[in-house]
Amino acid sequence: MPAESAGGVLRQVAMADLVILAPFAVPFLAERYLALWFWLNGRIGHDAVVPDLGATGWLLVNLMGFFAVWAAVLRLRARGAVAVRLTLAAKAVAVVLIAIGLVRGAAPILAVALVADAVACLRIGLAGRQP
């Protein structure tokens, strides 16, 4: 099986981020999308109540969604080793932050995001080693 190029993996990871995180950037979708995540959390046997975030909390959710979409779009356009290293660093930080959140009691469904970002780190790291 041929090795994947770093640019190809980078684009795949960026597209996945765009599809999964874009709803958080849209105010009228974010609340429903988060409710879907908590519904899934309930289906796996954990607390399924969406926390009351208030106006400030929803603003932060929308801003984080916007920056995630912006970063994904930039990665779709990016070329070169710098983009690969920056994406790898960002994904590694995300893994650490999600792990800290899970340890502190965040919704267990976020383990899905932790695994997805960890797999992305591995794929990007391995593809970045190819000549």
Side-chain angles (χ1 to χ4, degrees):
M1 180 163 73
E4 294 181 286
S5 73
V9 171
L10 191 66
R11 283 187 292 283
Q12 290 171 7
V13 169
M15 281 302 296
D17 282 352
L18 196 57
V19 168
I20 293 167
L21 299 173
F24 288 117
V26 183
F28 62 88
L29 290 179
E31 191 169 356
R32 289 180 182 93
Y33 192 56
L34 190 62
L36 172 65
W37 279 80
F38 273 85
W39 177 80
L40 291 170
N41 195 60
R43 299 300 294 164
I44 61 172
H46 299 283
D47 188 18
V49 178
V50 179
D52 181 21
L53 299 178
T56 302
W58 285 112
L59 172 65
L60 292 174
V61 166
N62 296 142
L63 285 172
M64 287 186 294
F66 167 78
F67 286 119
V69 167
W70 184 249
V73 168
L74 290 177
R75 280 185 278 136
L76 283 171
R77 300 183 46 86
R79 301 285 186 266
V82 172
V84 171
R85 286 192 299 271
L86 288 174
T87 300
L88 183 59
K91 290 291 182 185
V93 168
V95 167
V96 170
L97 292 175
I98 294 168
I100 291 169
L102 288 169
V103 167
R104 295 182 71 192
I109 192 70
L110 292 175
V112 173
L114 184 139
V115 170
D117 280 344
V119 169
C121 280
L122 289 172
R123 290 190 65 213
I124 292 168
L126 291 173
R129 303 185 110 177
Q130 303 299 323

